[in-house]
Structure formats: structure tokens, C-alpha cells
Amino acid sequence: MLVSTMNDVPGRTVQQVVGEVTGLTVRSRNVGAQIGAGLKSIVGGELKGLTKQLQQSRDEAVARMVEEASAQGANAILAMRYDSDEVGNGYQEIVAYGTAVVLAP
């Protein structure tokens, strides 16, 4: 499945617009990562544990979006975007969304 942040694909024609698709995940922060982040905030630098966890959340949201698009007969998702928000103390919501389409061969 092609997933693109672009609104079209050069050299390909959109044959059918299937519609909006989303993938959502809500995760709590790992206690170990939170402790490490607290300590790291004192000296500065990348919060590697939280970075890894956020990337895993994004990957999971995209996989769910692709699964929804495939179930609806799409072969591509265009204009894909991410959105995120904190849902309560220590809970992070990540949503991947885009337009599922069928591209001509």
C-alpha cells in the first residue's frame, strides 16, 4: 500500500476516492522512560525512551490506518497526516489519517 503525504502521485491517476481513513492509538508512558526523562531534563538532551515509544505509536497508528484502507479496497492513501494530543496525565493519543484511494495501474 502506498502511503503519501502528497495530494497526488506523479504519473498515476486516482481512479476512485474511497474516503477518509484513520488509525488511532492511545498509550501510557512507560514508567522507566518517564523516570529517565525526568533525570534527562536536568542535564538536557534527547529523551531516547520517549522518542522510541512515540515512533512505535506512530507506526501502530499508520498500520491501523492501512488496514482500514485495505479493508475498503484502496491501494493507496494520500494526504496522510499525524495528529497527537495528551489524553489525561501521562496518556498520549496518536492518530494517522488520510484519504484512501484506488490508483490506476
Side-chain angles (χ1 to χ4, degrees):
M1 165 101 35
L2 174 69
V3 178
S4 176
T5 59
M6 297 172 55
N7 293 326
D8 54 19
V9 178
R12 304 284 298 270
T13 304
V14 174
Q15 215 171 25
Q16 175 189 356
V17 174
V18 176
E20 181 182 351
V21 288
T22 61
L24 176 69
T25 186
V26 178
R27 293 215 176 167
S28 64
R29 293 193 187 110
N30 177 310
V31 173
Q34 274 189 290
I35 292 169
L39 295 173
K40 191 71 163 186
S41 68
I42 295 169
V43 296
E46 181 182 7
L47 306 174
K48 291 182 181 181
L50 293 177
T51 299
K52 181 180 178 183
Q53 191 172 23
L54 181 57
Q55 186 60 54
Q56 290 171 341
S57 296
R58 283 179 153 219
D59 293 345
E60 186 172 287
V62 168
R64 290 178 178 175
M65 177 186 64
V66 166
E67 186 178 311
E68 182 181 338
S70 293
Q72 294 182 35
N75 65 0
I77 299 169
L78 301 180
M80 194 284 289
R81 303 286 186 265
Y82 290 106
D83 195 11
S84 66
D85 197 6
E86 188 169 350
V87 184
N89 190 15
Y91 299 101
Q92 184 73 32
E93 169 201 40
I94 304 286
V95 63
Y97 63 94
T99 303
V101 299
V102 175
L103 294 176

